[in-house]
Amino acid sequence: MGIAAGVGHFFQSIVEVIQGLFAAVIHFFQLILNSIIGLFQALVNFVEGTLGFAIHNFFILGTLAAAVFGYLLYAQRQGTTSAGRTIKSKSY
């Protein structure tokens, strides 16, 4: 009974080694796939954050530019800027 049990354990060990190698290969491919997915998700999050930052700054700078442009038009019509005086002083 001792020799038969030893042989049985030997073959059982070989099967477990093969199962372990198969699991290692599967986990390796899962690691590669998860790394690619993680990289893609990080890229999407980066682009989303960058575009959000740019869009918010665009609206802030656009509002500021519109306010300055409005002030310049107002000042030009009032004649309080050098550009306004120059335009009004020309006679065609």
Side-chain angles (χ1 to χ4, degrees), residues 11-86:
F11 285 116
Q12 185 179 3
S13 297
I14 292 174
V15 169
E16 288 177 1
V17 167
I18 293 172
Q19 286 176 345
L21 290 174
F22 182 71
V25 170
I26 295 293
H27 287 122
F28 176 74
F29 286 116
Q30 285 178 344
L31 172 71
I32 297 298
L33 183 64
N34 287 335
S35 297
I36 292 170
I37 290 171
L39 184 65
F40 180 71
Q41 287 176 341
L43 179 67
V44 168
N45 287 335
F46 173 74
V47 169
E48 179 183 6
T50 303
L51 286 179
F53 178 75
I55 288 170
H56 285 102
N57 281 338
F58 175 76
F59 284 117
I60 291 170
L61 293 175
T63 303
L64 182 64
V68 169
F69 182 69
Y71 171 75
L72 288 176
L73 284 179
Y74 172 75
Q76 186 178 19
R77 289 182 188 202
Q78 297 297 318
T80 57
T81 64
S82 60
R85 283 187 290 257
T86 304

